[in-house]
Amino acid sequence: MSDEPAYAPRKSGIRVMGEMSWGTHICAFYEAEQDLLDTNASYFAAGLEDNEFCIWAVSDPIDAVAAKDTLRQSIPDIDARLAAGQMELIPGTDWYLQGGEFDLQRITGGWNEKLRAALAKGYAGMRVSGNAFWIGTSHWKEFCQYEHELDRSLAGQKMVVLCTYALSKSRAVDLLDVARAHQFTITRRKGEWEFLETPELQYAKQEIRKLNGALDVLSDTGHAVFTARERVVLAQIVRGYSSKEIARTLGIAPRTVEFHRANLLKKTNTRSTVHLLRIVLGE
């Protein structure tokens, strides 16, 4: 299992972003099919170079053949990496709409299972990309809910996710809905990048800095070592979620969340969650 710190910076592979942290949730609007392919190729090249397990959920307007051909141009040994299991190309429609049904818990639970397996195999973490084929379908509201749930579940996890959306299929209201569900929203048109800034995104950046600060404290407290699950629970606590919300996000019982919360208080010698947050956030 990888022992790399949860706060270690990651190379995004996306020029306009530079480095990012674990738990980052990115939205990229693209204009042309080639923009979609090139974005994913550079994104995954950076992940594979840093010993990450990578998954590309491929769907229209591209297929697995086009995806592989593009990856080969940026990653000469991609076939060997695919054969070794460091990267998977999966059909996006089958993953998100298994049997034609949308199941939020099944999807998020599936990502968590793949992440656990990747860490057990010694990978630094997991990098995912999926294309939003659901724009304009009857599943739009369900997938918006999924994006918000995914954004929340990434806190404290050694996982980064890139969600790609076609500009030609997105209405103005769709851009706003999507931007609110991601920490960073960028656009790529004819190979050129730009950020889409909203007040919600600016707040998200502040929140990310708080989370990273919390994770930094974990390595400097001088207290007993925190377990991986305790770090994830702490990250959710920093975001202000209740035990029930944390339990739903992580797929565990509220009683289990309270158990981890009690261990965090004990290990930091704090009297309450408020006291714990003051220490972690340096307030």
Side-chain angles (χ1 to χ4, degrees), residues 49-98:
E49 182 181 341
D50 280 353
N51 189 40
E52 296 173 13
F53 173 60
C54 298
I55 303 178
W56 190 351
V58 178
S59 58
D60 288 339
I62 62 172
D63 56 24
V65 174
K68 285 184 181 179
D69 287 345
T70 302
L71 289 171
R72 288 187 183 106
Q73 296 174 26
S74 301
I75 313 165
D77 62 344
I78 186 61
D79 290 304
R81 291 181 183 270
L82 286 166
Q86 187 182 359
M87 182 169 186
E88 293 181 7
L89 300 180
I90 62 176
T93 304
D94 292 347
W95 175 261
Y96 292 108
L97 293 176
Q98 192 176 81

mmCIF file of all heavy atoms in Angstrom, residues 49-98:
data_model
loop_
_atom_site.group_PDB
_atom_site.id
_atom_site.type_symbol
_atom_site.label_atom_id
_atom_site.label_comp_id
_atom_site.label_asym_id
_atom_site.label_seq_id
_atom_site.Cartn_x
_atom_site.Cartn_y
_atom_site.Cartn_z
ATOM 1 N N GLU A 49 2.638 8.502 -14.955
ATOM 2 C CA GLU A 49 4.030 8.818 -14.614
ATOM 3 C C GLU A 49 4.229 8.854 -13.099
ATOM 4 O O GLU A 49 5.301 8.510 -12.596
ATOM 5 C CB GLU A 49 4.414 10.162 -15.220
ATOM 6 C CG GLU A 49 5.853 10.565 -14.975
ATOM 7 C CD GLU A 49 6.186 11.920 -15.568
ATOM 8 O OE1 GLU A 49 5.441 12.388 -16.451
ATOM 9 O OE2 GLU A 49 7.183 12.527 -15.138
ATOM 10 N N ASP A 50 3.193 9.243 -12.368
ATOM 11 C CA ASP A 50 3.278 9.349 -10.910
ATOM 12 C C ASP A 50 2.714 8.122 -10.191
ATOM 13 O O ASP A 50 2.310 8.203 -9.029
ATOM 14 C CB ASP A 50 2.536 10.607 -10.433
ATOM 15 C CG ASP A 50 3.376 11.862 -10.608
ATOM 16 O OD1 ASP A 50 4.555 11.741 -10.962
ATOM 17 O OD2 ASP A 50 2.844 12.967 -10.401
ATOM 18 N N ASN A 51 2.688 6.998 -10.885
ATOM 19 C CA ASN A 51 2.274 5.725 -10.277
ATOM 20 C C ASN A 51 0.836 5.747 -9.757
ATOM 21 O O ASN A 51 0.523 5.238 -8.692
ATOM 22 C CB ASN A 51 3.222 5.323 -9.135
ATOM 23 C CG ASN A 51 2.950 3.906 -8.620
ATOM 24 O OD1 ASN A 51 2.669 2.989 -9.396
ATOM 25 N ND2 ASN A 51 3.004 3.725 -7.307
ATOM 26 N N GLU A 52 -0.048 6.343 -10.521
ATOM 27 C CA GLU A 52 -1.461 6.327 -10.171
ATOM 28 C C GLU A 52 -2.190 5.278 -11.000
ATOM 29 O O GLU A 52 -1.803 4.977 -12.133
ATOM 30 C CB GLU A 52 -2.093 7.696 -10.429
ATOM 31 C CG GLU A 52 -1.515 8.810 -9.570
ATOM 32 C CD GLU A 52 -2.037 10.184 -9.955
ATOM 33 O OE1 GLU A 52 -3.022 10.251 -10.721
ATOM 34 O OE2 GLU A 52 -1.451 11.184 -9.512
ATOM 35 N N PHE A 53 -3.238 4.717 -10.433
ATOM 36 C CA PHE A 53 -4.125 3.823 -11.174
ATOM 37 C C PHE A 53 -5.127 4.700 -11.909
ATOM 38 O O PHE A 53 -5.714 5.608 -11.318
ATOM 39 C CB PHE A 53 -4.852 2.881 -10.208
ATOM 40 C CG PHE A 53 -5.911 2.038 -10.867
ATOM 41 C CD1 PHE A 53 -5.591 1.164 -11.889
ATOM 42 C CD2 PHE A 53 -7.235 2.128 -10.452
ATOM 43 C CE1 PHE A 53 -6.569 0.389 -12.505
ATOM 44 C CE2 PHE A 53 -8.221 1.353 -11.044
ATOM 45 C CZ PHE A 53 -7.888 0.480 -12.073
ATOM 46 N N CYS A 54 -5.305 4.470 -13.212
ATOM 47 C CA CYS A 54 -6.124 5.361 -14.041
ATOM 48 C C CYS A 54 -7.303 4.628 -14.677
ATOM 49 O O CYS A 54 -7.170 3.489 -15.140
ATOM 50 C CB CYS A 54 -5.261 5.979 -15.144
ATOM 51 S SG CYS A 54 -3.895 7.005 -14.521
ATOM 52 N N ILE A 55 -8.440 5.313 -14.706
ATOM 53 C CA ILE A 55 -9.640 4.766 -15.342
ATOM 54 C C ILE A 55 -10.255 5.834 -16.245
ATOM 55 O O ILE A 55 -10.530 6.951 -15.812
ATOM 56 C CB ILE A 55 -10.703 4.342 -14.310
ATOM 57 C CG1 ILE A 55 -10.154 3.323 -13.324
ATOM 58 C CG2 ILE A 55 -11.929 3.758 -15.026
ATOM 59 C CD1 ILE A 55 -11.158 2.910 -12.259
ATOM 60 N N TRP A 56 -10.477 5.478 -17.485
ATOM 61 C CA TRP A 56 -11.150 6.354 -18.433
ATOM 62 C C TRP A 56 -12.481 5.703 -18.795
ATOM 63 O O TRP A 56 -12.513 4.654 -19.427
ATOM 64 C CB TRP A 56 -10.294 6.552 -19.669
ATOM 65 C CG TRP A 56 -10.776 7.616 -20.617
ATOM 66 C CD1 TRP A 56 -11.953 8.305 -20.587
ATOM 67 C CD2 TRP A 56 -10.060 8.130 -21.757
ATOM 68 N NE1 TRP A 56 -12.029 9.207 -21.606
ATOM 69 C CE2 TRP A 56 -10.891 9.132 -22.339
ATOM 70 C CE3 TRP A 56 -8.829 7.853 -22.325
ATOM 71 C CZ2 TRP A 56 -10.495 9.829 -23.488
ATOM 72 C CZ3 TRP A 56 -8.434 8.549 -23.467
ATOM 73 C CH2 TRP A 56 -9.265 9.531 -24.036
ATOM 74 N N ALA A 57 -13.585 6.317 -18.364
ATOM 75 C CA ALA A 57 -14.925 5.842 -18.712
ATOM 76 C C ALA A 57 -15.278 6.461 -20.060
ATOM 77 O O ALA A 57 -15.676 7.627 -20.133
ATOM 78 C CB ALA A 57 -15.928 6.231 -17.634
ATOM 79 N N VAL A 58 -15.125 5.697 -21.122
ATOM 80 C CA VAL A 58 -15.239 6.204 -22.490
ATOM 81 C C VAL A 58 -16.685 6.134 -22.977
ATOM 82 O O VAL A 58 -17.360 5.119 -22.800
ATOM 83 C CB VAL A 58 -14.328 5.398 -23.431
ATOM 84 C CG1 VAL A 58 -14.472 5.890 -24.863
ATOM 85 C CG2 VAL A 58 -12.874 5.477 -22.980
ATOM 86 N N SER A 59 -17.142 7.224 -23.589
ATOM 87 C CA SER A 59 -18.488 7.239 -24.172
ATOM 88 C C SER A 59 -18.529 8.244 -25.308
ATOM 89 O O SER A 59 -17.542 8.949 -25.560
ATOM 90 C CB SER A 59 -19.535 7.588 -23.100
ATOM 91 O OG SER A 59 -19.251 8.844 -22.514
ATOM 92 N N ASP A 60 -19.656 8.323 -26.002
ATOM 93 C CA ASP A 60 -19.792 9.251 -27.122
ATOM 94 C C ASP A 60 -19.330 10.646 -26.716
ATOM 95 O O ASP A 60 -19.558 11.050 -25.570
ATOM 96 C CB ASP A 60 -21.264 9.321 -27.566
ATOM 97 C CG ASP A 60 -21.716 8.050 -28.285
ATOM 98 O OD1 ASP A 60 -20.837 7.324 -28.782
ATOM 99 O OD2 ASP A 60 -22.930 7.807 -28.329
ATOM 100 N N PRO A 61 -18.615 11.349 -27.606
ATOM 101 C CA PRO A 61 -18.480 11.115 -29.044
ATOM 102 C C PRO A 61 -17.265 10.271 -29.439
ATOM 103 O O PRO A 61 -16.914 10.223 -30.620
ATOM 104 C CB PRO A 61 -18.339 12.530 -29.583
ATOM 105 C CG PRO A 61 -17.547 13.230 -28.514
ATOM 106 C CD PRO A 61 -18.069 12.672 -27.219
ATOM 107 N N ILE A 62 -16.569 9.640 -28.494
ATOM 108 C CA ILE A 62 -15.411 8.832 -28.847
ATOM 109 C C ILE A 62 -15.641 7.386 -28.432
ATOM 110 O O ILE A 62 -16.569 7.080 -27.686
ATOM 111 C CB ILE A 62 -14.124 9.361 -28.174
ATOM 112 C CG1 ILE A 62 -14.260 9.291 -26.644
ATOM 113 C CG2 ILE A 62 -13.838 10.788 -28.614
ATOM 114 C CD1 ILE A 62 -12.990 9.618 -25.904
ATOM 115 N N ASP A 63 -14.774 6.505 -28.929
ATOM 116 C CA ASP A 63 -14.848 5.098 -28.534
ATOM 117 C C ASP A 63 -13.477 4.647 -28.046
ATOM 118 O O ASP A 63 -12.509 5.413 -28.045
ATOM 119 C CB ASP A 63 -15.332 4.220 -29.693
ATOM 120 C CG ASP A 63 -14.472 4.359 -30.952
ATOM 121 O OD1 ASP A 63 -13.285 4.751 -30.830
ATOM 122 O OD2 ASP A 63 -14.967 4.067 -32.046
ATOM 123 N N ALA A 64 -13.372 3.399 -27.624
ATOM 124 C CA ALA A 64 -12.135 2.876 -27.053
ATOM 125 C C ALA A 64 -10.986 2.898 -28.062
ATOM 126 O O ALA A 64 -9.827 3.116 -27.683
ATOM 127 C CB ALA A 64 -12.353 1.457 -26.540
ATOM 128 N N VAL A 65 -11.289 2.696 -29.327
ATOM 129 C CA VAL A 65 -10.243 2.693 -30.357
ATOM 130 C C VAL A 65 -9.609 4.079 -30.471
ATOM 131 O O VAL A 65 -8.380 4.224 -30.476
ATOM 132 C CB VAL A 65 -10.826 2.258 -31.719
ATOM 133 C CG1 VAL A 65 -9.766 2.410 -32.816
ATOM 134 C CG2 VAL A 65 -11.312 0.822 -31.654
ATOM 135 N N ALA A 66 -10.449 5.120 -30.552
ATOM 136 C CA ALA A 66 -9.930 6.492 -30.643
ATOM 137 C C ALA A 66 -9.169 6.859 -29.379
ATOM 138 O O ALA A 66 -8.129 7.535 -29.433
ATOM 139 C CB ALA A 66 -11.088 7.470 -30.860
ATOM 140 N N ALA A 67 -9.675 6.400 -28.228
ATOM 141 C CA ALA A 67 -9.008 6.695 -26.957
ATOM 142 C C ALA A 67 -7.615 6.080 -26.928
ATOM 143 O O ALA A 67 -6.632 6.745 -26.556
ATOM 144 C CB ALA A 67 -9.844 6.165 -25.802
ATOM 145 N N LYS A 68 -7.499 4.817 -27.308
ATOM 146 C CA LYS A 68 -6.198 4.142 -27.305
ATOM 147 C C LYS A 68 -5.231 4.794 -28.289
ATOM 148 O O LYS A 68 -4.047 4.975 -27.994
ATOM 149 C CB LYS A 68 -6.366 2.661 -27.642
ATOM 150 C CG LYS A 68 -6.930 1.829 -26.508
ATOM 151 C CD LYS A 68 -6.983 0.356 -26.899
ATOM 152 C CE LYS A 68 -7.575 -0.490 -25.784
ATOM 153 N NZ LYS A 68 -7.665 -1.919 -26.161
ATOM 154 N N ASP A 69 -5.722 5.121 -29.481
ATOM 155 C CA ASP A 69 -4.857 5.739 -30.491
ATOM 156 C C ASP A 69 -4.285 7.056 -29.976
ATOM 157 O O ASP A 69 -3.100 7.353 -30.173
ATOM 158 C CB ASP A 69 -5.642 5.984 -31.779
ATOM 159 C CG ASP A 69 -5.925 4.703 -32.552
ATOM 160 O OD1 ASP A 69 -5.269 3.681 -32.252
ATOM 161 O OD2 ASP A 69 -6.810 4.725 -33.433
ATOM 162 N N THR A 70 -5.103 7.851 -29.292
ATOM 163 C CA THR A 70 -4.635 9.130 -28.758
ATOM 164 C C THR A 70 -3.652 8.921 -27.613
ATOM 165 O O THR A 70 -2.638 9.622 -27.512
ATOM 166 C CB THR A 70 -5.833 9.971 -28.269
ATOM 167 O OG1 THR A 70 -6.739 10.167 -29.356
ATOM 168 C CG2 THR A 70 -5.367 11.328 -27.751
ATOM 169 N N LEU A 71 -3.938 7.965 -26.747
ATOM 170 C CA LEU A 71 -3.040 7.678 -25.630
ATOM 171 C C LEU A 71 -1.669 7.231 -26.132
ATOM 172 O O LEU A 71 -0.638 7.592 -25.554
ATOM 173 C CB LEU A 71 -3.642 6.598 -24.734
ATOM 174 C CG LEU A 71 -4.861 7.012 -23.898
ATOM 175 C CD1 LEU A 71 -5.473 5.788 -23.234
ATOM 176 C CD2 LEU A 71 -4.471 8.042 -22.841
ATOM 177 N N ARG A 72 -1.633 6.446 -27.213
ATOM 178 C CA ARG A 72 -0.351 5.953 -27.744
ATOM 179 C C ARG A 72 0.547 7.100 -28.203
ATOM 180 O O ARG A 72 1.773 7.001 -28.153
ATOM 181 C CB ARG A 72 -0.604 4.993 -28.909
ATOM 182 C CG ARG A 72 -1.183 3.645 -28.485
ATOM 183 C CD ARG A 72 -1.248 2.669 -29.646
ATOM 184 N NE ARG A 72 -1.861 1.413 -29.230
ATOM 185 C CZ ARG A 72 -3.093 1.041 -29.568
ATOM 186 N NH1 ARG A 72 -3.826 1.819 -30.369
ATOM 187 N NH2 ARG A 72 -3.596 -0.102 -29.140
ATOM 188 N N GLN A 73 -0.067 8.204 -28.646
ATOM 189 C CA GLN A 73 0.726 9.335 -29.110
ATOM 190 C C GLN A 73 1.439 10.046 -27.955
ATOM 191 O O GLN A 73 2.519 10.603 -28.135
ATOM 192 C CB GLN A 73 -0.182 10.329 -29.841
ATOM 193 C CG GLN A 73 -0.799 9.767 -31.108
ATOM 194 C CD GLN A 73 -1.811 10.725 -31.732
ATOM 195 O OE1 GLN A 73 -1.729 11.939 -31.552
ATOM 196 N NE2 GLN A 73 -2.773 10.188 -32.463
ATOM 197 N N SER A 74 0.832 10.018 -26.772
ATOM 198 C CA SER A 74 1.418 10.688 -25.600
ATOM 199 C C SER A 74 2.141 9.738 -24.668
ATOM 200 O O SER A 74 3.044 10.147 -23.930
ATOM 201 C CB SER A 74 0.320 11.417 -24.808
ATOM 202 O OG SER A 74 -0.346 12.375 -25.591
ATOM 203 N N ILE A 75 1.746 8.469 -24.699
ATOM 204 C CA ILE A 75 2.290 7.475 -23.772
ATOM 205 C C ILE A 75 2.733 6.260 -24.587
ATOM 206 O O ILE A 75 1.936 5.349 -24.844
ATOM 207 C CB ILE A 75 1.225 7.060 -22.722
ATOM 208 C CG1 ILE A 75 0.546 8.302 -22.128
ATOM 209 C CG2 ILE A 75 1.837 6.201 -21.637
ATOM 210 C CD1 ILE A 75 -0.728 8.010 -21.378
ATOM 211 N N PRO A 76 3.976 6.225 -25.019
ATOM 212 C CA PRO A 76 4.439 5.144 -25.906
ATOM 213 C C PRO A 76 4.219 3.742 -25.354
ATOM 214 O O PRO A 76 3.982 2.798 -26.120
ATOM 215 C CB PRO A 76 5.940 5.455 -26.064
ATOM 216 C CG PRO A 76 6.040 6.927 -25.823
ATOM 217 C CD PRO A 76 5.024 7.225 -24.760
ATOM 218 N N ASP A 77 4.288 3.575 -24.029
ATOM 219 C CA ASP A 77 4.144 2.237 -23.457
ATOM 220 C C ASP A 77 2.741 1.986 -22.909
ATOM 221 O O ASP A 77 2.546 1.154 -22.020
ATOM 222 C CB ASP A 77 5.171 2.016 -22.341
ATOM 223 C CG ASP A 77 4.986 2.983 -21.172
ATOM 224 O OD1 ASP A 77 4.279 3.998 -21.351
ATOM 225 O OD2 ASP A 77 5.561 2.721 -20.093
ATOM 226 N N ILE A 78 1.751 2.676 -23.454
ATOM 227 C CA ILE A 78 0.394 2.566 -22.917
ATOM 228 C C ILE A 78 -0.152 1.143 -23.027
ATOM 229 O O ILE A 78 -0.869 0.675 -22.131
ATOM 230 C CB ILE A 78 -0.563 3.567 -23.616
ATOM 231 C CG1 ILE A 78 -1.936 3.541 -22.926
ATOM 232 C CG2 ILE A 78 -0.680 3.254 -25.090
ATOM 233 C CD1 ILE A 78 -1.935 3.930 -21.480
ATOM 234 N N ASP A 79 0.182 0.436 -24.096
ATOM 235 C CA ASP A 79 -0.332 -0.933 -24.237
ATOM 236 C C ASP A 79 0.186 -1.826 -23.116
ATOM 237 O O ASP A 79 -0.553 -2.667 -22.583
ATOM 238 C CB ASP A 79 0.039 -1.504 -25.610
ATOM 239 C CG ASP A 79 -0.720 -0.829 -26.740
ATOM 240 O OD1 ASP A 79 -1.967 -0.824 -26.683
ATOM 241 O OD2 ASP A 79 -0.081 -0.285 -27.654
ATOM 242 N N ALA A 80 1.446 -1.638 -22.742
ATOM 243 C CA ALA A 80 2.014 -2.429 -21.649
ATOM 244 C C ALA A 80 1.351 -2.061 -20.329
ATOM 245 O O ALA A 80 1.076 -2.925 -19.479
ATOM 246 C CB ALA A 80 3.522 -2.198 -21.568
ATOM 247 N N ARG A 81 1.062 -0.787 -20.132
ATOM 248 C CA ARG A 81 0.420 -0.345 -18.894
ATOM 249 C C ARG A 81 -1.017 -0.868 -18.811
ATOM 250 O O ARG A 81 -1.495 -1.234 -17.735
ATOM 251 C CB ARG A 81 0.449 1.180 -18.797
ATOM 252 C CG ARG A 81 1.859 1.753 -18.585
ATOM 253 C CD ARG A 81 1.804 3.269 -18.470
ATOM 254 N NE ARG A 81 3.124 3.872 -18.343
ATOM 255 C CZ ARG A 81 3.760 4.104 -17.198
ATOM 256 N NH1 ARG A 81 3.192 3.749 -16.053
ATOM 257 N NH2 ARG A 81 4.953 4.678 -17.167
ATOM 258 N N LEU A 82 -1.701 -0.886 -19.952
ATOM 259 C CA LEU A 82 -3.053 -1.450 -19.977
ATOM 260 C C LEU A 82 -3.018 -2.942 -19.667
ATOM 261 O O LEU A 82 -3.835 -3.446 -18.887
ATOM 262 C CB LEU A 82 -3.692 -1.216 -21.351
ATOM 263 C CG LEU A 82 -4.148 0.220 -21.660
ATOM 264 C CD1 LEU A 82 -4.426 0.376 -23.148
ATOM 265 C CD2 LEU A 82 -5.399 0.576 -20.856
ATOM 266 N N ALA A 83 -2.051 -3.636 -20.258
ATOM 267 C CA ALA A 83 -1.928 -5.076 -20.025
ATOM 268 C C ALA A 83 -1.575 -5.377 -18.578
ATOM 269 O O ALA A 83 -2.024 -6.381 -18.001
ATOM 270 C CB ALA A 83 -0.869 -5.663 -20.961
ATOM 271 N N ALA A 84 -0.779 -4.486 -17.956
ATOM 272 C CA ALA A 84 -0.367 -4.680 -16.561
ATOM 273 C C ALA A 84 -1.468 -4.303 -15.577
ATOM 274 O O ALA A 84 -1.366 -4.592 -14.380
ATOM 275 C CB ALA A 84 0.888 -3.865 -16.277
ATOM 276 N N GLY A 85 -2.505 -3.634 -16.076
ATOM 277 C CA GLY A 85 -3.621 -3.264 -15.205
ATOM 278 C C GLY A 85 -3.479 -1.929 -14.524
ATOM 279 O O GLY A 85 -4.269 -1.596 -13.633
ATOM 280 N N GLN A 86 -2.484 -1.103 -14.939
ATOM 281 C CA GLN A 86 -2.355 0.218 -14.321
ATOM 282 C C GLN A 86 -3.410 1.177 -14.841
ATOM 283 O O GLN A 86 -3.726 2.183 -14.197
ATOM 284 C CB GLN A 86 -0.959 0.818 -14.557
ATOM 285 C CG GLN A 86 -0.753 2.117 -13.764
ATOM 286 C CD GLN A 86 0.587 2.783 -13.997
ATOM 287 O OE1 GLN A 86 1.424 2.272 -14.756
ATOM 288 N NE2 GLN A 86 0.817 3.922 -13.357
ATOM 289 N N MET A 87 -3.969 0.858 -16.008
ATOM 290 C CA MET A 87 -5.020 1.702 -16.564
ATOM 291 C C MET A 87 -6.124 0.839 -17.142
ATOM 292 O O MET A 87 -5.864 -0.248 -17.677
ATOM 293 C CB MET A 87 -4.468 2.641 -17.640
ATOM 294 C CG MET A 87 -5.525 3.577 -18.208
ATOM 295 S SD MET A 87 -4.823 4.897 -19.233
ATOM 296 C CE MET A 87 -6.336 5.862 -19.525
ATOM 297 N N GLU A 88 -7.355 1.320 -17.015
ATOM 298 C CA GLU A 88 -8.512 0.635 -17.578
ATOM 299 C C GLU A 88 -9.320 1.601 -18.437
ATOM 300 O O GLU A 88 -9.481 2.764 -18.075
ATOM 301 C CB GLU A 88 -9.423 0.094 -16.474
ATOM 302 C CG GLU A 88 -8.840 -1.020 -15.636
ATOM 303 C CD GLU A 88 -9.815 -1.520 -14.586
ATOM 304 O OE1 GLU A 88 -10.996 -1.084 -14.609
ATOM 305 O OE2 GLU A 88 -9.413 -2.325 -13.734
ATOM 306 N N LEU A 89 -9.803 1.104 -19.567
ATOM 307 C CA LEU A 89 -10.780 1.824 -20.378
ATOM 308 C C LEU A 89 -12.094 1.072 -20.227
ATOM 309 O O LEU A 89 -12.175 -0.108 -20.566
ATOM 310 C CB LEU A 89 -10.360 1.864 -21.847
ATOM 311 C CG LEU A 89 -9.028 2.543 -22.182
ATOM 312 C CD1 LEU A 89 -8.776 2.496 -23.683
ATOM 313 C CD2 LEU A 89 -9.027 3.982 -21.703
ATOM 314 N N ILE A 90 -13.105 1.738 -19.680
ATOM 315 C CA ILE A 90 -14.383 1.070 -19.439
ATOM 316 C C ILE A 90 -15.490 1.793 -20.196
ATOM 317 O O ILE A 90 -15.418 3.000 -20.404
ATOM 318 C CB ILE A 90 -14.721 1.005 -17.936
ATOM 319 C CG1 ILE A 90 -14.859 2.415 -17.340
ATOM 320 C CG2 ILE A 90 -13.651 0.218 -17.181
ATOM 321 C CD1 ILE A 90 -15.296 2.428 -15.890
ATOM 322 N N PRO A 91 -16.522 1.062 -20.636
ATOM 323 C CA PRO A 91 -17.645 1.715 -21.327
ATOM 324 C C PRO A 91 -18.414 2.600 -20.347
ATOM 325 O O PRO A 91 -18.955 2.109 -19.350
ATOM 326 C CB PRO A 91 -18.507 0.537 -21.804
ATOM 327 C CG PRO A 91 -17.614 -0.674 -21.707
ATOM 328 C CD PRO A 91 -16.681 -0.399 -20.582
ATOM 329 N N GLY A 92 -18.469 3.896 -20.624
ATOM 330 C CA GLY A 92 -19.098 4.826 -19.701
ATOM 331 C C GLY A 92 -20.572 4.549 -19.466
ATOM 332 O O GLY A 92 -21.050 4.603 -18.320
ATOM 333 N N THR A 93 -21.299 4.243 -20.539
ATOM 334 C CA THR A 93 -22.738 4.003 -20.391
ATOM 335 C C THR A 93 -22.995 2.798 -19.497
ATOM 336 O O THR A 93 -23.890 2.822 -18.640
ATOM 337 C CB THR A 93 -23.391 3.787 -21.765
ATOM 338 O OG1 THR A 93 -23.109 4.914 -22.604
ATOM 339 C CG2 THR A 93 -24.901 3.650 -21.627
ATOM 340 N N ASP A 94 -22.213 1.733 -19.654
ATOM 341 C CA ASP A 94 -22.395 0.535 -18.825
ATOM 342 C C ASP A 94 -22.063 0.826 -17.367
ATOM 343 O O ASP A 94 -22.716 0.296 -16.459
ATOM 344 C CB ASP A 94 -21.494 -0.604 -19.328
ATOM 345 C CG ASP A 94 -21.933 -1.131 -20.688
ATOM 346 O OD1 ASP A 94 -23.057 -0.784 -21.115
ATOM 347 O OD2 ASP A 94 -21.152 -1.867 -21.313
ATOM 348 N N TRP A 95 -21.046 1.662 -17.128
ATOM 349 C CA TRP A 95 -20.642 1.943 -15.745
ATOM 350 C C TRP A 95 -21.687 2.810 -15.029
ATOM 351 O O TRP A 95 -22.074 2.527 -13.903
ATOM 352 C CB TRP A 95 -19.288 2.653 -15.734
ATOM 353 C CG TRP A 95 -18.867 3.079 -14.354
ATOM 354 C CD1 TRP A 95 -18.999 4.328 -13.809
ATOM 355 C CD2 TRP A 95 -18.265 2.266 -13.337
ATOM 356 N NE1 TRP A 95 -18.515 4.340 -12.520
ATOM 357 C CE2 TRP A 95 -18.065 3.088 -12.210
ATOM 358 C CE3 TRP A 95 -17.886 0.927 -13.281
ATOM 359 C CZ2 TRP A 95 -17.491 2.615 -11.031
ATOM 360 C CZ3 TRP A 95 -17.308 0.448 -12.109
ATOM 361 C CH2 TRP A 95 -17.124 1.284 -10.999
ATOM 362 N N TYR A 96 -22.145 3.852 -15.714
ATOM 363 C CA TYR A 96 -23.062 4.795 -15.076
ATOM 364 C C TYR A 96 -24.526 4.354 -15.125
ATOM 365 O O TYR A 96 -25.305 4.701 -14.229
ATOM 366 C CB TYR A 96 -22.927 6.172 -15.723
ATOM 367 C CG TYR A 96 -21.607 6.848 -15.462
ATOM 368 C CD1 TYR A 96 -20.652 6.973 -16.472
ATOM 369 C CD2 TYR A 96 -21.295 7.360 -14.211
ATOM 370 C CE1 TYR A 96 -19.440 7.596 -16.241
ATOM 371 C CE2 TYR A 96 -20.078 7.981 -13.960
ATOM 372 C CZ TYR A 96 -19.152 8.093 -14.980
ATOM 373 O OH TYR A 96 -17.940 8.702 -14.750
ATOM 374 N N LEU A 97 -24.892 3.634 -16.172
ATOM 375 C CA LEU A 97 -26.295 3.225 -16.326
ATOM 376 C C LEU A 97 -26.388 1.712 -16.503
ATOM 377 O O LEU A 97 -26.881 1.221 -17.506
ATOM 378 C CB LEU A 97 -26.927 3.944 -17.523
ATOM 379 C CG LEU A 97 -27.117 5.454 -17.400
ATOM 380 C CD1 LEU A 97 -27.661 6.034 -18.694
ATOM 381 C CD2 LEU A 97 -28.049 5.793 -16.238
ATOM 382 N N GLN A 98 -25.907 0.999 -15.537
ATOM 383 C CA GLN A 98 -25.930 -0.458 -15.593
ATOM 384 C C GLN A 98 -27.373 -0.948 -15.699
ATOM 385 O O GLN A 98 -28.219 -0.617 -14.875
ATOM 386 C CB GLN A 98 -25.288 -1.032 -14.332
ATOM 387 C CG GLN A 98 -24.992 -2.518 -14.406
ATOM 388 C CD GLN A 98 -24.268 -2.989 -13.155
ATOM 389 O OE1 GLN A 98 -24.876 -3.232 -12.119
ATOM 390 N NE2 GLN A 98 -22.948 -3.096 -13.258
#
